Amino acid sequence: TRGRFGSDGDFVPVEHEREDGLATVRWAREQPWCSGRVGVFGVSYLGLTAWAAVGACGEGELQAAVPVATTARVRSVLVQPGGAFSLELVVLWVTLVFQLLLLRRPDEMLRAAREMWSSSWWSRAKYISPLSSLDRLLLGRDWDFFQQAVAAEEEDDEFWRGRDALCELRPGRRAAADGPPPPLHLVAGWHDFFAASQLADFELASRAQPACRLTVTPHDHWGMASLRGLQVAVRAGLSTFDAHLGDGGPAWGGTGRAWPPLRGVDSRPAIERALPGQGCFL
């Protein structure tokens, strides 16, 4: 993303993702090594960038997308029904992105994480008051993006326009010229704070795109980075890309929408579910 690691520019969350996603897809399609068929894949914040590319691209520009542990709309995750701020998500994400990931060596990241958890940092963060002072505790300074987000209490606030819906899936909101979204395979964690939003994304996307699948694993958000979580996500990504970017061969596990085949499953896009603690698909 813009302004992260070796990328030029300044990183502002969900500020430039649609613009940059569209530019990246069009750049890839123009390369001599590209067949002209492009798919996007991303976990967590990079899943937001995947949704942003889907939302910005016109019909036929993108052939597949696999968003993992993420959502097409940002505000519904940051602000809970009733207006409560998702404090755990904000604290952990800001710490990860603006502190831990700036450290180049894995051992430095682990050491810094252990020091944070062993200090009173988390206790102070989860009981912070007023909420607008959280950025000073975490970053040692006022952060304009955070201050504006806290102040933007309503969904139609100017701050959320252009930031909330990275990909508009609601009926009547997506421009007719854009057509339906490309084939999708959403991968969610049942205990993830993105879970409810991802289920809503699947429900809306499957109405517009018959080639829409959903896999739910028994993980929370951070568990998606475990070996099992990554295996499921990569498996879903490769199978989707094999099916829609290549010669159209069958995806992993067979040609049906659900794998293993389920008795009594109707023709609707299948939901693949995993039982918590068992790590197996139904």
Side-chain angles (χ1 to χ4, degrees):
T1 60
R2 184 185 302 200
R4 297 298 295 165
F5 300 102
S7 298
D8 294 333
D10 296 321
F11 175 66
V12 181
V14 297
E15 182 81 15
H16 307 289
E17 310 307 353
R18 285 173 54 91
E19 174 189 352
D20 291 350
L22 177 60
T24 301
V25 169
R26 289 180 174 175
W27 174 86
R29 288 169 59 90
E30 294 173 354
Q31 302 311 302
W33 40 259
C34 182
S35 67
R37 303 184 65 79
V38 176
V40 291
F41 173 97
V43 181
S44 192
Y45 189 88
L46 296 183
L48 297 180
T49 66
W51 270 123
V54 173
C57 287
E59 187 171 9
E61 290 190 291
L62 199 58
Q63 280 64 54
V66 183
V68 180
T70 190
T71 182
R73 299 191 63 194
V74 178
R75 187 181 182 276
S76 61
V77 177
L78 290 177
V79 182
Q80 298 299 311
F85 216 66
S86 299
L87 186 59
E88 177 189 7
L89 169 60
V90 172
V91 169
L92 295 178
W93 186 81
V94 169
T95 303
L96 176 68
V97 171
F98 290 96
Q99 294 189 38
L100 298 183
L101 290 182
L102 295 181
L103 302 174
R104 295 296 183 181
R105 291 168 42 187
D107 60 321
E108 292 178 339
M109 293 176 58
L110 291 174
R111 188 182 306 111
R114 283 196 299 266
E115 291 174 355
M116 287 180 181
W117 283 114
S118 62
S119 68
S120 60
W121 161 83
W122 172 240
S123 296
R124 287 183 291 150
K126 67 183 179 181
Y127 294 118
I128 194 78
S129 180
L131 181 62
S132 58
S133 63
L134 180 62
D135 51 356
R136 291 190 290 276
L137 172 63
L138 299 179
L139 303 175
R141 59 180 173 82
D142 286 337
W143 182 25
D144 288 343
F145 179 89
F146 178 77
Q147 294 295 324
Q148 294 176 45
V150 171
E153 298 181 355
E154 302 299 329
E155 184 176 350
D156 60 355
D157 191 281
E158 183 178 356
F159 173 81
W160 293 112
R161 295 173 192 168
R163 290 187 175 97
D164 178 23
L166 297 173
C167 178
E168 186 56 80
L169 297 171
R170 291 171 293 180
R173 301 290 186 94
R174 187 173 174 86
D178 293 338
L184 294 160
H185 193 149
L186 282 64
V187 181
W190 188 251
H191 303 288
D192 186 10
F193 36 67
F194 282 116
S197 295
Q198 280 198 278
L199 295 176
D201 290 342
F202 173 75
E203 182 179 6
L204 291 171
S206 61
R207 294 176 185 174
Q209 174 53 262
C212 184
R213 301 183 72 184
L214 171 67
T215 297
V216 180
T217 78
H219 297 99
D220 60 15
H221 190 75
W222 316 107
M224 294 302 296
S226 68
L227 178 60
R228 177 59 177 164
L230 290 175
Q231 283 176 331
V232 174
V234 171
R235 193 181 185 190
L238 293 178
S239 67
T240 302
F241 294 157
D242 281 346
H244 299 288
L245 304 187
D247 298 328
W252 58 270
T255 58
R257 289 183 184 272
W259 181 256
L262 304 179
R263 294 181 180 179
V265 172
D266 58 26
S267 59
R268 293 176 300 172
I271 299 179
E272 297 170 358
R273 293 170 290 182
L275 284 178
Q278 296 193 20
C280 60
F281 291 109
L282 289 180

